[in-house]
Amino acid sequence: MPLEALIFDVDGTLAENEEWHRRAFNESFKAFGLDWNWDADLYRELLKVTGGKERIRHFIETASPPHGSEVLAKLLALHADKTARYADYVVSGVITAKPGIKRLVLEAHQNGLRLGIATTTALSNVEALIASIFGADARHLFAVIAAGDIVPRKKPAPDIYLYACERLGVAPSACVAIEDSENGVQAAHDAGIAVVAAPSFYLSGDDFSKATSVVSDLGEPDAPNRLIAGPRIGNGFVDLAALRALASLPADEAGRAG
Ligand code: XBP
Ligand code: MG
């Protein structure tokens, strides 16, 4: 099937940014008078639960921290505070794009592919991040931004990818997804989409066996990437030609769910 669309995950894929989410969560806990701290090891575990609100709820239900039930009653306010703090980090410019992201998005857009985003993070976070990476006109690069609570079941459910495909008007088999996590790969795979995975810092220990190809990052012509698993795509960097070749693989070779 000819490649018609690329769908990008956000956190850990466009940027190596989970550390800034973690800091924002901890700052909000403090601002709400909570003596909670999500250190890096705990956060790696908690990232198995996608969505910030869902992650806080899971933490309360499994770790029984002090004031848990009070926090559940003001979960939306706490999460809104965290979102505002994360946005401040994005606007400050400390969060930059991962290798190859800008190059691939612009190449695909210039060549008429449809671009989408499928993420569990809040819409405002996505808009802030893409504006920071691509500039004020960023919104026009992406035909669809599927984010946050737009679907009731977050990744690893395939819903957000199916929603993005429907809104893009393309069949899943005509798309390639770019992901950084097991949950994200699972979601795209179960939607019937071939996936290129570039594991992010926190999620490098995830199981990426459902991805078509696993690379260290998307690479640049002057900073080649490393193939971790699956068929080689591109020669040191992932470009449109490489993704077109990957999309034309038969479903079994591309590892697409039928
Ligand atoms: C990763 C997530 C998000 C972020 C926090 O999203 O699981 O929940 O950690 O963002 P992605 P929110 O699908 O882009 O990898 O607090 O806005 O949920
Ligand atoms: Mg991600």
Side-chain angles (χ1 to χ4, degrees):
M1 189 112 181
L3 181 65
E4 292 176 40
L6 297 185
I7 305 180
F8 290 82
D9 169 52
V10 173
D11 296 327
T13 294
L14 297 186
E16 189 63 83
N17 58 346
E18 278 297 352
E19 184 57 14
W20 302 98
H21 279 294
R22 185 179 76 85
R23 290 188 193 198
F25 280 115
N26 284 329
E27 287 165 11
S28 293
F29 298 154
K30 208 166 174 186
F32 277 63
L34 300 164
D35 190 18
W36 300 0
N37 180 55
W38 287 357
D39 66 18
D41 287 340
L42 174 58
Y43 195 62
R44 179 174 289 107
E45 279 303 305
L46 291 173
L47 276 172
K48 289 180 180 150
V49 178
T50 58
K53 295 187 291 292
E54 292 80 355
R55 191 168 300 145
I56 297 168
R57 181 182 292 280
H58 169 83
F59 174 67
I60 293 168
E61 288 170 356
T62 56
S64 307
H67 308 294
S69 45
E70 293 154 50
V71 173
L72 282 181
K74 50 186 174 193
L75 186 55
L76 291 182
L78 177 66
H79 188 252
D81 182 86
K82 177 261 162 181
T83 299
R85 289 170 194 277
Y86 172 77
D88 288 345
Y89 283 127
V90 176
V91 169
S92 79
V94 288
I95 302 174
T96 54
K98 282 177 81 173
I101 286 291
K102 259 182 111 161
R103 173 183 55 71
L104 181 60
V105 165
L106 296 178
E107 185 193 9
H109 187 254
Q110 279 155 13
N111 283 275
L113 259 77
R114 293 177 64 71
L115 298 181
I117 279 179
T119 174
T120 65
T121 203
L123 178 62
S124 63
N125 292 346
V126 183
E127 290 177 333
L129 187 62
I130 62 173
S132 167
I133 293 175
F134 300 102
D137 275 350
R139 192 59 192 79
H140 303 293
L141 291 170
F142 296 95
V144 171
I145 298 182
D149 300 325
I150 194 96
V151 292
R153 294 191 312 160
K154 294 186 175 171
K155 300 173 189 176
D159 305 27
I160 196 79
Y161 275 102
L162 293 171
Y163 175 88
C165 286
E166 196 186 310
R167 293 285 312 279
L168 286 166
V170 294
S173 55
C175 299
V176 169
I178 316 289
E179 271 286 356
D180 73 302
S181 71
E182 182 175 343
N183 279 325
V185 168
Q186 183 79 51
H189 171 270
D190 288 357
I193 300 172
V195 194
V196 175
S200 57
F201 170 75
Y202 272 109
L203 303 170
S204 57
D206 274 13
D207 176 357
F208 290 98
S209 56
K210 297 269 171 63
T212 308
S213 190
V214 188
V215 289
S216 56
D217 54 64
L218 298 183
E220 296 285 15
D222 60 354
N225 65 0
R226 203 165 34 84
L227 180 69
I228 298 174
R232 169 164 294 287
I233 44 165
N235 195 10
F237 61 98
V238 176
D239 61 2
L240 204 47
L243 293 178
R244 286 193 204 281
L246 183 137
S248 68
L249 290 174
D252 56 338
E253 279 178 52
R256 280 194 303 266

